mmCIF file of all heavy atoms in Angstrom:
data_model
loop_
_atom_site.group_PDB
_atom_site.id
_atom_site.type_symbol
_atom_site.label_atom_id
_atom_site.label_comp_id
_atom_site.label_asym_id
_atom_site.label_seq_id
_atom_site.Cartn_x
_atom_site.Cartn_y
_atom_site.Cartn_z
ATOM 1 N N CYS K 304 8.893 15.366 3.649
ATOM 2 C CA CYS K 304 10.101 15.435 2.807
ATOM 3 C C CYS K 304 9.838 14.722 1.478
ATOM 4 O O CYS K 304 9.005 13.830 1.406
ATOM 5 C CB CYS K 304 11.276 14.737 3.490
ATOM 6 S SG CYS K 304 11.749 15.440 5.043
ATOM 7 N N GLY K 305 10.586 15.115 0.463
ATOM 8 C CA GLY K 305 10.628 14.374 -0.794
ATOM 9 C C GLY K 305 9.252 14.128 -1.385
ATOM 10 O O GLY K 305 8.415 15.024 -1.471
ATOM 11 N N THR K 306 9.033 12.884 -1.738
ATOM 12 C CA THR K 306 7.752 12.511 -2.360
ATOM 13 C C THR K 306 6.585 12.817 -1.448
ATOM 14 O O THR K 306 5.527 13.272 -1.877
ATOM 15 C CB THR K 306 7.795 11.024 -2.717
ATOM 16 O OG1 THR K 306 8.693 10.848 -3.821
ATOM 17 C CG2 THR K 306 6.440 10.481 -3.086
ATOM 18 N N ALA K 307 6.776 12.583 -0.149
ATOM 19 C CA ALA K 307 5.698 12.862 0.816
ATOM 20 C C ALA K 307 5.357 14.339 0.797
ATOM 21 O O ALA K 307 4.191 14.728 0.966
ATOM 22 C CB ALA K 307 6.131 12.403 2.214
ATOM 23 N N ILE K 350 3.473 13.833 6.948
ATOM 24 C CA ILE K 350 3.334 12.730 5.983
ATOM 25 C C ILE K 350 4.676 12.024 5.841
ATOM 26 O O ILE K 350 5.705 12.679 5.616
ATOM 27 C CB ILE K 350 2.893 13.251 4.602
ATOM 28 C CG1 ILE K 350 1.648 14.131 4.730
ATOM 29 C CG2 ILE K 350 2.618 12.085 3.641
ATOM 30 C CD1 ILE K 350 1.263 14.846 3.446
ATOM 31 N N SER K 351 4.672 10.723 6.009
ATOM 32 C CA SER K 351 5.927 9.982 5.909
ATOM 33 C C SER K 351 5.644 8.510 5.637
ATOM 34 O O SER K 351 4.908 7.876 6.381
ATOM 35 C CB SER K 351 6.724 10.100 7.205
ATOM 36 O OG SER K 351 7.890 9.277 7.147
ATOM 37 N N GLN K 352 6.217 7.955 4.585
ATOM 38 C CA GLN K 352 6.066 6.530 4.295
ATOM 39 C C GLN K 352 6.663 5.700 5.413
ATOM 40 O O GLN K 352 5.973 4.854 5.958
ATOM 41 C CB GLN K 352 6.754 6.198 2.963
ATOM 42 C CG GLN K 352 6.526 4.818 2.426
ATOM 43 C CD GLN K 352 7.343 3.724 3.151
ATOM 44 O OE1 GLN K 352 6.790 2.713 3.526
ATOM 45 N NE2 GLN K 352 8.630 3.960 3.394
ATOM 46 N N SER K 353 7.886 6.017 5.801
ATOM 47 C CA SER K 353 8.618 5.196 6.782
ATOM 48 C C SER K 353 8.236 5.512 8.218
ATOM 49 O O SER K 353 8.361 4.688 9.106
ATOM 50 C CB SER K 353 10.122 5.420 6.616
ATOM 51 O OG SER K 353 10.414 6.802 6.921
ATOM 52 N N GLY K 354 7.858 6.775 8.461
ATOM 53 C CA GLY K 354 7.610 7.189 9.839
ATOM 54 C C GLY K 354 8.877 7.333 10.658
ATOM 55 O O GLY K 354 8.819 7.411 11.881
ATOM 56 N N THR K 356 11.685 9.394 9.269
ATOM 57 C CA THR K 356 12.487 10.475 8.678
ATOM 58 C C THR K 356 12.828 11.511 9.734
ATOM 59 O O THR K 356 11.924 12.114 10.336
ATOM 60 C CB THR K 356 11.722 11.107 7.508
ATOM 61 O OG1 THR K 356 11.500 10.099 6.526
ATOM 62 C CG2 THR K 356 12.486 12.267 6.887
ATOM 63 N N THR K 359 11.341 15.100 9.625
ATOM 64 C CA THR K 359 9.892 15.135 9.867
ATOM 65 C C THR K 359 9.591 14.893 11.339
ATOM 66 O O THR K 359 8.731 15.550 11.936
ATOM 67 C CB THR K 359 9.186 14.095 8.979
ATOM 68 O OG1 THR K 359 9.520 14.377 7.604
ATOM 69 C CG2 THR K 359 7.677 14.111 9.149
ATOM 70 N N VAL K 402 13.488 2.081 -3.454
ATOM 71 C CA VAL K 402 13.810 3.351 -2.776
ATOM 72 C C VAL K 402 12.942 4.470 -3.326
ATOM 73 O O VAL K 402 12.467 5.335 -2.599
ATOM 74 C CB VAL K 402 15.300 3.686 -2.936
ATOM 75 C CG1 VAL K 402 15.584 5.130 -2.568
ATOM 76 C CG2 VAL K 402 16.148 2.746 -2.080
ATOM 77 N N ALA K 403 12.679 4.462 -4.613
ATOM 78 C CA ALA K 403 11.835 5.504 -5.218
ATOM 79 C C ALA K 403 10.386 5.207 -4.854
ATOM 80 O O ALA K 403 9.854 4.145 -5.152
ATOM 81 C CB ALA K 403 12.001 5.507 -6.731
ATOM 82 N N SER K 404 9.759 6.159 -4.186
ATOM 83 C CA SER K 404 8.404 5.925 -3.694
ATOM 84 C C SER K 404 7.376 6.033 -4.819
ATOM 85 O O SER K 404 7.366 7.003 -5.566
ATOM 86 C CB SER K 404 8.097 6.970 -2.606
ATOM 87 O OG SER K 404 6.881 6.668 -1.987
ATOM 88 N N GLN K 411 -0.729 7.990 -0.157
ATOM 89 C CA GLN K 411 -0.746 9.226 0.632
ATOM 90 C C GLN K 411 -1.766 10.212 0.052
ATOM 91 O O GLN K 411 -2.531 10.850 0.786
ATOM 92 C CB GLN K 411 0.647 9.862 0.646
ATOM 93 C CG GLN K 411 1.656 9.129 1.522
ATOM 94 C CD GLN K 411 3.095 9.483 1.181
ATOM 95 O OE1 GLN K 411 3.372 10.248 0.250
ATOM 96 N NE2 GLN K 411 4.029 8.898 1.914
ATOM 97 N N LEU K 488 11.352 14.341 -9.628
ATOM 98 C CA LEU K 488 12.084 13.621 -8.569
ATOM 99 C C LEU K 488 12.235 12.147 -8.932
ATOM 100 O O LEU K 488 13.308 11.565 -8.799
ATOM 101 C CB LEU K 488 11.355 13.758 -7.234
ATOM 102 C CG LEU K 488 11.935 12.931 -6.081
ATOM 103 C CD1 LEU K 488 13.369 13.324 -5.787
ATOM 104 C CD2 LEU K 488 11.083 13.073 -4.821
ATOM 105 N N LYS K 489 11.161 11.537 -9.413
ATOM 106 C CA LYS K 489 11.239 10.121 -9.801
ATOM 107 C C LYS K 489 12.361 9.902 -10.816
ATOM 108 O O LYS K 489 13.131 8.980 -10.729
ATOM 109 C CB LYS K 489 9.918 9.652 -10.438
ATOM 110 C CG LYS K 489 8.815 9.194 -9.569
ATOM 111 C CD LYS K 489 9.030 8.111 -8.607
ATOM 112 C CE LYS K 489 9.678 8.400 -7.310
ATOM 113 N NZ LYS K 489 9.207 9.276 -6.345
ATOM 114 N N GLU K 492 16.081 10.655 -9.339
ATOM 115 C CA GLU K 492 16.618 9.812 -8.259
ATOM 116 C C GLU K 492 16.955 8.400 -8.740
ATOM 117 O O GLU K 492 17.735 7.703 -8.102
ATOM 118 C CB GLU K 492 15.677 9.753 -7.068
ATOM 119 C CG GLU K 492 14.375 9.036 -7.272
ATOM 120 C CD GLU K 492 13.562 8.961 -5.977
ATOM 121 O OE1 GLU K 492 14.147 8.777 -4.899
ATOM 122 O OE2 GLU K 492 12.343 9.093 -6.058
ATOM 123 N N LYS K 607 16.271 4.272 1.758
ATOM 124 C CA LYS K 607 14.810 4.236 1.738
ATOM 125 C C LYS K 607 14.230 5.152 2.811
ATOM 126 O O LYS K 607 13.191 5.747 2.637
ATOM 127 C CB LYS K 607 14.305 2.804 1.938
ATOM 128 C CG LYS K 607 12.805 2.643 1.820
ATOM 129 C CD LYS K 607 12.279 3.091 0.472
ATOM 130 C CE LYS K 607 10.777 3.124 0.401
ATOM 131 N NZ LYS K 607 10.283 3.821 -0.798
ATOM 132 N N VAL K 609 15.474 8.271 5.476
ATOM 133 C CA VAL K 609 16.576 9.161 5.887
ATOM 134 C C VAL K 609 16.432 9.446 7.376
ATOM 135 O O VAL K 609 15.734 10.369 7.784
ATOM 136 C CB VAL K 609 16.529 10.463 5.068
ATOM 137 C CG1 VAL K 609 17.711 11.370 5.447
ATOM 138 C CG2 VAL K 609 16.550 10.152 3.581
HETATM 139 C C1 AGP J 701 11.044 9.433 -2.796
HETATM 140 O O1 AGP J 701 11.024 8.591 -3.933
HETATM 141 C C2 AGP J 701 12.340 9.320 -2.024
HETATM 142 N N1 AGP J 701 12.626 7.980 -1.694
HETATM 143 C C3 AGP J 701 12.402 10.282 -0.845
HETATM 144 O O2 AGP J 701 12.229 11.573 -1.349
HETATM 145 C C4 AGP J 701 11.331 10.065 0.248
HETATM 146 O O3 AGP J 701 10.053 10.404 -0.252
HETATM 147 C C5 AGP J 701 11.666 10.974 1.438
HETATM 148 O O4 AGP J 701 12.924 10.584 1.947
HETATM 149 C C6 AGP J 701 10.622 10.912 2.554
HETATM 150 O O5 AGP J 701 10.597 9.627 3.110
HETATM 151 P P1 AGP J 701 9.385 9.267 4.105
HETATM 152 O O6 AGP J 701 8.141 9.353 3.307
HETATM 153 O O7 AGP J 701 9.687 7.872 4.586
HETATM 154 O O8 AGP J 701 9.394 10.270 5.225
#
Side-chain angles (χ1 to χ4, degrees):
C304 299
T306 289
I350 308 172
S351 175
Q352 188 284 132
S353 64
T356 299
T359 303
V402 165
S404 188
Q411 287 161 357
L488 174 60
K489 275 304 80 60
E492 68 176 322
K607 185 59 188 168
V609 183

